Amino acid sequence: MKCPQWGCSVAKDRWPELCKTVESDDDLPVRDVGSWTEDKLWFWHRYVEITTAAMAKHQKWNGMVYVDMFAGPGVCKIRSSERRIPGSTIVAAQASKPFTKIIAVELDSENANALRMRLQTIAPDASVIVYQEDCNTVIDKIVNDLPAGALTLAFFDPEGLDFEFTTVETLVKGRAVDLLVLFADAYDIVRNVDLYVSQESSKLDRLLGTKEWRDEWGKINNRKSVVICDFFATQFESQLRDQLGYKEFRRKRINGPKGALYTLIFASKHQKGGEFWDKISKRDSGGQMEIPFNGDPL
Ligand SMILES: C[S@@+](CC[C@H](N)C(=O)[O-])C[C@H]1O[C@@H](n2cnc3c(N)ncnc32)[C@H](O)[C@@H]1O
């Protein structure tokens, strides 16, 4: 079914079809996750679908590349239901209009091997490189793998503050790269901000690529979680805007049973990226209308 606005196939949600490809136990490692992980992956799947549908064969680009900086083993298992869902790289490898190239990075050797084996079974024709390395140190190899003139979608999906701004900079400088970043605000920054302030060079400094946030931070009296989350997401977005030329930003807060967990930050250098994100994020994976981020209390 064609989307009337973009003329591309976005209306059909392929998520159930993708979940089916990983439903049987293959005796390889999985990631145990909370049910909210499905929302995160569903949004990304929808963005991948709408963007590849419109751009994979577009003459403006020399192909499309997917970069997954925290790839995982390829399958997540939801703790409460034992339901198996595809991890981010497996989602990308099954895009209805295939990527020209997929580059995945995973530090853990068991996860990296599981991902390689699953990719061979589920998407044998995909052109994939899996690096079993730290994404912050392998970044120079990754940029060498990127074809000039390609459109790249990159996913940063860490467990905490595990990537550095300089890594993002190396990846995106001089290239068209749409970013989705898991920004670990509620479950990391909110808990540890006092520690990060006290350290000369903290993980938070490296994530933001600056220490200048400390001056502004000192002026903030209201230290409620929601204020802290908003403050640091804004700092990160400002760095993307001022240092790297990003123009479009969207936030989607992901909640667990006890409140906010993290914020997904989508960023693009192009207006179309923001339009695509708006289009796919109107509904969540259960079909509910999304409530936009508006600084609601945690
Ligand atoms: C939240 S999980 C990613 C989940 C994955 N995107 C998915 O959809 O299943 C984070 C993964 O990053 C890996 N990891 C941690 N630090 C890393 C680093 N510096 N570079 C690359 N991978 C890393 C962990 O082993 C873990 O598998």
Side-chain angles (χ1 to χ4, degrees), residues 31 40-41 68-73 76 87-88 105-108 111 133-136 155 157-159 162:
R31 257 180 70 71
K40 172 183 75 178
L41 289 166
D68 205 331
M69 298 296 260
F70 296 86
C76 302
S88 45
V105 190
E106 168 56 50
L107 189 57
D108 178 85
N111 284 347
E133 293 198 46
D134 180 331
C135 65
N136 296 297
F155 189 24
D157 186 21
E159 282 154 345
D162 300 325

Side-chain angles (χ1 to χ4, degrees), residues 213-225:
W213 58 272
R214 290 151 189 271
D215 298 338
E216 285 296 309
W217 176 248
K219 295 179 203 156
I220 298 213
N221 295 320
N222 179 347
R223 301 276 169 97
K224 279 167 70 174
S225 314

